């Protein structure tokens, strides 16, 4: 786990291993965000989906509070056929007394599929609730905003453009998403994006896997080309791991960058 302060120059406030040997070395291809919180038996409980090869797995495990030896690990096979997706993320929107879990996966053909995740006897079940085509040029995407009615993603394109895509939860199977250009160039270098709420906006980490470098940005309220973006600089250290994702505490606020 790495944590950064929104300062310039960028400072790293946390750099530690939370748990070891969750998955076979080098097998995880995609990961949605991993959620964690206090477990009833003590310590921290962690859970989230990953894709290894063509198969999705739901994962859960325990560690001492703050990390340490892994126990009660479960890696449960969901199903095959996931090799056709190149991104995976999950929006967990929490209100008083309720929780919405929605997964998004970008197909190789440029179609975003939205799935509702519900829990039956504590086990997640997925159902496709919509899709939208037209995202073939997307290189990386990350969730930056959640409400009870839509989720919004920030996307880099191979052309260098930076876009937002607001995907509503209601409607038919064809998602009437609203896509807006934020910047017209220079963003093609990032193969991975990780975002977290920060104040009234979003703290965005862009990872250039070709150089093993990370760059931090403060992104204001999403409003097309009027969106304020402030570069905080290069992040200390190297970024050479194959997969990066956001790790969220159960008490973290909902994303509200739009």
């Amino acid at each position: 786990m790495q944590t950064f302060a929104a300062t310039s120059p960028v400072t790293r406030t946390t750099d530690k291993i939370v748990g070891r040997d969750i998955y076979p070395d080098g097998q995880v291809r995609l990961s949605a965000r991993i959620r964690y919180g206090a477990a009833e038996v003590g310590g921290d409980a962690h859970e989230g989906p990953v894709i290894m090869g063509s198969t999705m797995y739901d994962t859960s495990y325990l560690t001492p509070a703050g990390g340490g030896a892994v126990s009660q690990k479960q890696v449960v096979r969901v199903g095959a056929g996931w090799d056709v997706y190149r991104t995976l993320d999950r929006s967990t929107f929490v209100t008083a007394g309720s929780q919405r879990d929605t997964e998004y996966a970008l197909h190789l053909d440029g179609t975003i599929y939205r799935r509702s995740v519900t829990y039956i006897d504590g086990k997640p079940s997925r159902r496709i609730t919509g899709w939208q085509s037209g995202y073939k040029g997307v290189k990386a995407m990350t969730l930056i905003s959640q409400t009870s009615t839509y989720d919004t993603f920030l996307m880099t394109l191979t052309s260098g453009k930076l876009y937002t895509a607001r995907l509503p939860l209601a409607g038919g199977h064809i998602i009437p998403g609203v896509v807006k250009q934020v910047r017209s160039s220079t963003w093609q270098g990032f193969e991975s994006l990780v975002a977290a709420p920060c104040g009234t906006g979003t703290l965005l980490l862009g990872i250039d896997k070709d150089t093993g470098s990370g760059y931090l940005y403060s992104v204001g309220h999403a409003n097309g080309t009027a969106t304020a973006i402030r570069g905080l600089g290069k992040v200390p250290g190297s970024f050479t791991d194959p997969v990066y994702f956001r790790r969220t505490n159960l008490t973290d606020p909902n994303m509200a960058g739009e």
Side-chain angles (χ1 to χ4, degrees):
M1 181 179 72
Q2 300 181 71
T3 307
F4 309 101
T7 58
S8 184
V10 178
T11 57
R12 188 197 311 265
T13 59
T14 305
D15 186 4
K16 67 177 182 179
I17 294 174
V18 174
R20 295 181 183 273
D21 299 323
I22 310 298
Y23 313 105
D25 290 346
Q27 294 301 302
V28 173
R29 191 173 62 83
L30 296 173
S31 174
R33 58 198 58 214
I34 301 296
R35 303 181 76 230
Y36 72 99
E40 292 183 0
V41 295
D44 289 335
H46 312 254
E47 63 89 19
V50 301
I51 295 175
M52 290 189 278
S54 64
T55 305
M56 175 181 274
Y57 297 86
D58 281 316
T59 306
S60 63
Y61 56 94
L62 300 179
T63 66
V70 171
S71 62
Q72 297 189 35
K73 180 179 71 172
Q74 295 188 50
V75 181
V76 180
R77 185 179 188 273
V78 174
W82 292 83
D83 53 329
V84 296
Y85 295 102
R86 51 194 177 92
T87 70
L88 177 68
D89 209 344
R90 178 185 287 189
S91 170
T92 300
F93 185 76
V94 180
T95 57
S98 67
Q99 175 177 311
R100 166 182 67 80
D101 290 287
T102 310
E103 283 179 358
Y104 297 85
L106 177 60
H107 195 281
L108 293 172
D109 68 4
T111 302
I112 291 178
Y113 285 88
R114 181 188 65 206
R115 290 174 172 84
S116 173
V117 183
T118 55
Y119 291 83
I120 302 173
D121 295 330
K123 297 180 180 180
S125 175
R126 292 165 174 83
R127 178 174 61 90
I128 293 178
T129 57
W131 55 84
Q132 187 185 46
S133 60
Y135 295 91
K136 197 166 187 179
V138 171
K139 196 170 185 179
M141 57 187 286
T142 186
L143 181 72
I144 63 166
S145 178
Q146 305 162 282
T147 74
S148 60
T149 58
Y150 64 83
D151 290 315
T152 303
F153 290 83
L154 193 65
M155 303 172 169
T156 58
L157 276 64
T158 54
S159 63
K161 296 178 180 179
L162 184 69
Y163 275 83
T164 56
R166 178 191 289 187
L167 305 178
L169 299 169
H173 287 308
I174 305 300
I175 304 172
V178 178
V179 178
K180 293 183 180 180
Q181 181 175 296
V182 177
R183 294 292 187 269
S184 61
S185 62
T186 74
W187 288 83
Q188 68 274 11
F190 296 131
E191 292 86 8
S192 183
L193 298 174
V194 183
C198 184
T200 59
T202 300
L203 198 60
L204 176 71
L205 175 65
I207 297 172
D208 181 348
K209 292 188 175 181
D210 293 332
T211 62
S213 303
Y215 296 84
L216 203 62
Y217 299 86
S218 176
V219 182
H221 177 80
N223 185 26
T225 56
T227 304
I229 301 179
R230 181 167 60 97
L232 301 176
K234 188 176 181 180
V235 175
S238 61
F239 292 83
T240 56
D241 290 334
V243 180
Y244 288 90
F245 54 89
R246 184 175 166 223
R247 185 169 175 264
T248 62
N249 195 297
L250 297 179
T251 60
D252 285 348
N254 297 316
M255 302 287 289
E258 185 188 34

